Amino acid sequence: MIGLERREGAAIVTVDRPEAMNALDLEHLEALRERLAELAADAEARVVVLTGAGEKAFVAGADIKYMQGLDVLGARRWGELGHECGNLLETMPKPTIAALNGFALGGGCELALACDLRLASANARLGQPEINLGVLPGWGGSLRLARATTLGFAKELVLTGRQIGAEEALERGLVNAVHEPGELMDKTLELCRTLAAKSPLALAYAKEAVNLALQGDHRANLATEARLFAMLFATEDQTEGMAAFAEKRQPEFRGR
Ligand code: DAK
């Protein structure tokens, strides 16, 4: 199942299939897509966290046994469904965090890469082992891994299938922080609280602007950034944020 728990403005989505290392079959991937689509439109969910049930795995990938039975059209639909999940995580107008509590392999690593931020437990293992199965990362990993790290490192992981530990992932910029396994969720919730205290409008526009950084036309993207910046001056949150600074107090953002 795909669990949903709400804590302090955060919606925690849990892939809960521990008997298969939280690998995603069609039922779970469809449920995940539905969940993410709901949360994208849910103003109460200020931050979305994606994690895995248990202590061993975040998501050990797409379900290999399910994929064995796919024909070409089935594989195409399968790829599109995974892309829909990745696109939701990457573009929903609020921060998304992957809490990597163990194996994040193949499709699991790809979903994590689609999130805005990644926190890893010290025992997390990341990688794109699809090459060992005679395929390639099909849910955006070949591109997002290169964007998150470097082209050369992405090629190394994708072409060799090598798995890396949390510390190497941190050195490479693949994750934002590493925590002890028992502290990962507390640290994730701490980050959620930090984010939930910001203006949700400013967060949404800031995410939209940063998402432009590695794509399209640079001049056009700069112009879009300027427009997004200007639009925030129509919000009460901008007035409040600047007033709070001038009055030496903490701002109280209302999302208006
Ligand atoms: N799929 C299905 N079952 C999996 C699984 C997976 N990805 N990962 C683990 N399991 C299952 C195991 O089969 C085992 O089930 P039983 O044998 O008990 O029934 C159970 O979970 C426990 O796993 P292990 O016994 O292997 O546990 P270990 O601790 O020894 O090893 C492991 C853990 C995570 C290192 C190992 O299970 C493993 O290597 N798993 C596979 C990891 C992997 O290769 N992941 C990438 C999957 S490929 C595409 C779209 C998407 C994709 C590709 C193309 N197109 C557009 C077409 C994406 C592909 C992938 O993600």
Side-chain angles (χ1 to χ4, degrees), residues 207-217 220-222 224-225 228:
K207 173 169 173 170
E208 188 177 336
V210 178
N211 270 347
L212 294 173
L214 298 177
Q215 62 190 323
D217 178 76
N221 291 341
L222 289 172
T224 302
E225 187 206 57
L228 292 168

Side-chain angles (χ1 to χ4, degrees), residues 120 126 149 153 164-176 178:
L126 294 86
T149 62
F153 188 63
I164 60 171
E167 284 303 331
E168 185 174 356
L170 182 65
E171 279 165 26
R172 292 290 186 167
L174 188 39
V175 301
N176 298 89
V178 177

Side-chain angles (χ1 to χ4, degrees), residues 161-228:
R162 180 168 79 84
Q163 291 180 22
I164 60 171
E167 284 303 331
E168 185 174 356
L170 182 65
E171 279 165 26
R172 292 290 186 167
L174 188 39
V175 301
N176 298 89
V178 177
H179 300 292
E180 286 310 309
E183 292 180 359
L184 177 65
M185 202 34 80
D186 283 349
K187 294 288 185 186
T188 303
L189 288 172
E190 198 178 304
L191 179 56
C192 289
R193 280 194 292 278
T194 300
L195 292 166
K198 314 287 183 204
S199 161
L201 302 166
L203 281 176
Y205 284 10
K207 173 169 173 170
E208 188 177 336
V210 178
N211 270 347
L212 294 173
L214 298 177
Q215 62 190 323
D217 178 76
H218 183 52
R219 296 279 144 219
N221 291 341
L222 289 172
T224 302
E225 187 206 57
R227 274 194 298 276
L228 292 168

Side-chain angles (χ1 to χ4, degrees), residues 19-21 23 60-65 67 75 78-79 103 105-108 110 129-130 133 135-139 163:
E19 71 281 8
M21 295 278 170
D63 188 311
I64 299 167
K65 295 160 196 168
M67 289 193 292
W78 181 238
F103 289 109
L105 300 175
E110 296 181 280
E130 289 90 342
L133 302 167
V135 291
L136 57 82
W139 292 347
Q163 291 180 22

